[in-house]
Amino acid sequence: MTADPLRVALAGLGTVGGGVVRLLDANRELIERRAGRAIEIVAVSARDRSKDRGVDIARFAWVDDTARLAGHPDIDVVVELIGGSDGPALALARATLEAGKSLITANKALLAHHGLELAEAAEAAGVALKFEAAVAGGVPVIKGLRDGAAANRIDRVYGILNGTCNFILTKMEAEGRDFADVLAEAQALGFAEADPSFDIDGVDAAHKLSILASLSFGTRPAFADVQSSGIRQILAADIAEAAALGYRVRLVGVAEAGPNGLFQRVHPHLVAADDPLAHVSGALNAVVAEGNFVGRLLFQGAGAGDGPTASAVVADLIDIARGEFGPPYAMPAASLSALAPADSGERRGRAYLRFMVADKVGVLAEIAAAMRDAGVSIESLMQRGANGDGSVLVAIVTHEGPERAVAHALDKLRGSSSLAGDPLWMHIL
Ligand code: NDP
Ligand code: HSE
């Protein structure tokens, strides 16, 4: 090889950063042939220099102050693998682009909050901003949408975007285990965010959905408009009820763009057992995009973990080594349109509603009356015998109808002395 190597600064040497070092070591020769030049890590930074990371980092220059990596004279590209929407990750990202260096990040929180600003800065500096690993880990969905499907109008994109939640839900399904017990296992496997509430409360999936929506629809990233909830309140009993009805429970993000505006939502859904998303298990992710010429595309694979995520980061490095830059959001940032958020009350669908209720006379009548008064038509209703605490599970599946009506029915019931805790509402995909 005669071309100069691509010189890389790596910020963050945790799960993903360690994976990147290992991958570049393991596949060095192949990567060099594919990239047309060597890709060399020159400098690294993290919090604790003395930590044993299971990889040899003594061969790289160590920089204490992460933000200073951007000004390092011997680097072409900074890879940000620290995490967090602000703080050191944002400071480094800004400093990198200001210094006229390309930036790769796996940080969906950073992009959800500051993606537009960073894309503008990258375009102004004529450098690359790449983030394949930020959505669906090792699955090349960013490239798929930005490049492969670039000729299509995409009106809908949806999928399973959080490996931790999918791991938990499918373990609960297979083993009948409790939520908290399985969460600890997902954390130990390195899938979960530093703050795992981002995973289980749907925030991480919302970050990713806002990136996908922007790429798919040519709209400005609008994370603040994503409606989201997570999986904390899902009981093993909900998963069993769903199975009895022919469904599986998955945390699904859905985004649509149309005349009513931009709709973005992440919620647990009931997914029919024969839907491809129902077969996505463990830490796998899947994204479906519907293009007006290509039809339905399904991207699926490992959504988290060191190896798959490093695979996506290094793919971005190879792109930059080849000189493949291109606008981060598939079109210049100035061309991205601002679409108002759509009103979800207008949407129609079927719903699974679960109530924990007191085992006393009139409770079912009260729930049925709230449904009737709000105009919600009940397709089926199940009641299961008393739990240890005396509460009873009531699960309702509604006929298709406006979401506003379901919201009204639940509002009427909220605070009722007949209910033990908040009702659970899951949309049926
Ligand atoms: P880790 O927590 O494993 O690693 C974070 C790294 O950042 C550590 O090396 C840590 O240093 C360093 N760091 C933290 N704070 C600072 C700071 N203030 N200054 C300098 N360095 C700091 O995170 P992950 O590797 O799991 O994730 C990294 C990024 O990749 C995140 O944005 C995450 O969302 C994203 N991501 C992660 C995936 C995964 O499966 N884990 C999948 C896809 C994306 P030290 O080691 O010294 O403590
Ligand atoms: N915490 C994330 C997940 C990592 O569980 O999907 C991948 O983005």
Side-chain angles (χ1 to χ4, degrees), residues 92-104:
L92 176 62
R94 284 178 172 156
T96 299
L97 299 172
E98 271 164 26
K101 311 272 170 72
S102 290
L103 176 70
I104 293 172

Side-chain angles (χ1 to χ4, degrees), residues 85-258:
S85 60
D86 295 281
L90 178 60
L92 176 62
R94 284 178 172 156
T96 299
L97 299 172
E98 271 164 26
K101 311 272 170 72
S102 290
L103 176 70
I104 293 172
T105 180
N107 187 341
K108 47 274 164 138
L110 175 76
L111 292 162
H113 289 274
H114 305 288
L116 187 61
E117 172 205 321
L118 297 176
E120 285 167 347
E123 288 172 24
V127 297
L129 166 63
K130 300 226 168 234
F131 44 84
E132 184 60 68
V135 180
V139 184
V141 63
I142 300 293
K143 278 186 206 305
L145 294 174
R146 188 173 47 200
D147 303 330
N152 288 262
R153 195 192 72 229
I154 295 174
D155 294 328
R156 187 167 192 239
V157 62
Y158 62 98
I160 293 173
L161 301 174
N162 186 268
T164 302
C165 285
N166 210 57
F167 177 86
I168 293 172
L169 289 172
T170 53
K171 275 263 173 186
M172 287 172 72
E173 180 183 291
E175 298 171 13
R177 282 164 66 191
D178 282 334
F179 167 79
D181 179 26
V182 187
L183 170 63
E185 205 174 320
Q187 284 179 286
L189 287 166
F191 308 146
E193 295 302 301
D195 177 354
S197 66
F198 273 32
D199 294 298
I200 58 188
D201 293 330
V203 179
D204 176 75
H207 287 151
K208 294 167 179 166
L209 187 70
S210 69
I211 297 168
L212 285 180
S214 185
L215 266 176
S216 300
F217 311 142
T219 48
R220 289 170 174 228
F223 167 68
D225 297 334
V226 185
Q227 304 165 16
S228 63
S229 63
I231 64 165
R232 276 181 208 267
Q233 69 281 43
I234 309 279
L235 304 172
D238 292 313
I239 291 175
E241 292 299 337
L245 291 161
Y247 293 96
R248 302 207 175 126
V249 178
R250 297 286 183 270
L251 185 74
V252 179
V254 182
E256 292 174 7

Side-chain angles (χ1 to χ4, degrees), residues 11-19 45-53 62-67 80-85 87-89 92 105-110 132-138 164 189-195 198-199 204 207-208 302-310 312-313:
L13 292 164
T15 303
V16 184
S45 180
R47 264 179 311 211
D48 178 359
R49 187 173 187 172
S50 63
K51 196 187 264 186
D52 177 8
R53 301 172 187 280
W62 177 272
V63 176
D64 273 326
D65 177 358
T66 306
E80 183 278 306
L81 301 172
I82 297 171
S85 60
L92 176 62
T105 180
N107 187 341
K108 47 274 164 138
L110 175 76
E132 184 60 68
V135 180
T164 302
L189 287 166
F191 308 146
E193 295 302 301
D195 177 354
F198 273 32
D199 294 298
D204 176 75
H207 287 151
K208 294 167 179 166
D306 58 347
T309 312
V313 170

Side-chain angles (χ1 to χ4, degrees), residues 231-309:
I231 64 165
R232 276 181 208 267
Q233 69 281 43
I234 309 279
L235 304 172
D238 292 313
I239 291 175
E241 292 299 337
L245 291 161
Y247 293 96
R248 302 207 175 126
V249 178
R250 297 286 183 270
L251 185 74
V252 179
V254 182
E256 292 174 7
N260 297 329
L262 176 62
F263 172 76
Q264 302 176 94
R265 137 154 107 203
V266 173
H267 289 312
H269 281 69
L270 261 60
V271 176
D274 60 359
D275 187 294
L277 294 191
H279 301 282
V280 176
S281 57
L284 292 182
N285 282 190
V287 176
V288 178
E290 294 169 358
N292 65 336
F293 271 68
V294 71
R296 183 171 292 181
L297 295 169
L298 170 66
F299 302 87
Q300 182 177 334
D306 58 347
T309 312

Side-chain angles (χ1 to χ4, degrees), residues 342-366:
D343 177 0
S344 63
E346 301 291 316
R347 295 177 67 82
R348 296 180 63 80
R350 293 165 67 228
Y352 168 96
L353 306 172
R354 186 261 291 152
F355 306 87
M356 299 306 298
V357 302
D359 194 3
K360 64 180 188 187
V361 173
V363 170
L364 273 186
E366 187 182 338

